[in-house]
Amino acid sequence: GIDVGPRGFVVATEIYDVPMSASRAASMLERQVTEERQKRGRAMAAERKKNLLAEKKAWEDMMRNPGMREDKEAAERRERMMERLRDEIDEDTKKRQERAKE
């Protein structure tokens, strides 16, 4: 038996074992390539829009509070340095305690 698809009719190529024509295969491939390019283009546009909004927000924050970003970056650098120093001090105290045990 032949199954009638959702279209409601059957095409001759579905009834008989007829290979797909080269032009139809080319047009299907072209359609797939076009759809993939459209998806990629939409994704890139969405990414760009997101980046522009983030850039605009950062610029507005900088205009509202000039120098705030530099202060924040300096605070982060200070915090990292303090953490590194604390780690070194902890290591030194451990070494001293080990020497004292020996």
Side-chain angles (χ1 to χ4, degrees):
I2 297 172
D3 293 327
V4 177
R7 296 180 292 198
F9 58 90
V10 179
V11 182
T13 55
E14 294 172 356
I15 298 171
Y16 303 107
D17 190 20
V18 177
M20 189 184 307
S21 69
S23 62
R24 180 166 178 184
S27 66
M28 286 178 67
L29 184 63
E30 184 71 30
R31 190 176 325 118
Q32 287 176 346
V33 169
T34 304
E35 288 172 1
E36 288 174 12
R37 285 182 183 157
Q38 286 176 343
K39 275 187 203 173
R40 249 189 328 226
R42 287 186 188 113
M44 287 170 52
E47 181 78 20
R48 174 133 174 80
K49 186 175 181 180
K50 186 178 79 170
N51 290 343
L52 285 174
L53 287 173
E55 187 179 318
K56 182 179 176 184
K57 184 181 181 310
W59 186 79
E60 288 173 353
D61 289 345
M62 190 186 70
M63 285 294 134
R64 272 192 225 112
N65 303 317
M68 191 69 166
R69 184 172 61 189
E70 289 82 7
D71 294 344
K72 191 184 294 185
E73 290 172 356
E76 289 173 0
R77 283 195 305 271
R78 278 195 302 273
E79 185 59 37
R80 284 195 306 263
M81 185 64 172
M82 292 300 289
E83 190 173 331
R84 196 176 315 137
L85 289 173
R86 279 192 293 265
D87 291 343
E88 288 177 11
I89 291 171
D90 290 343
E91 275 186 41
D92 290 344
T93 54
K94 286 179 185 176
K95 287 179 183 177
R96 286 188 192 137
Q97 289 173 354
E98 287 176 9
R99 284 190 211 133
K101 287 179 183 177
E102 293 174 0

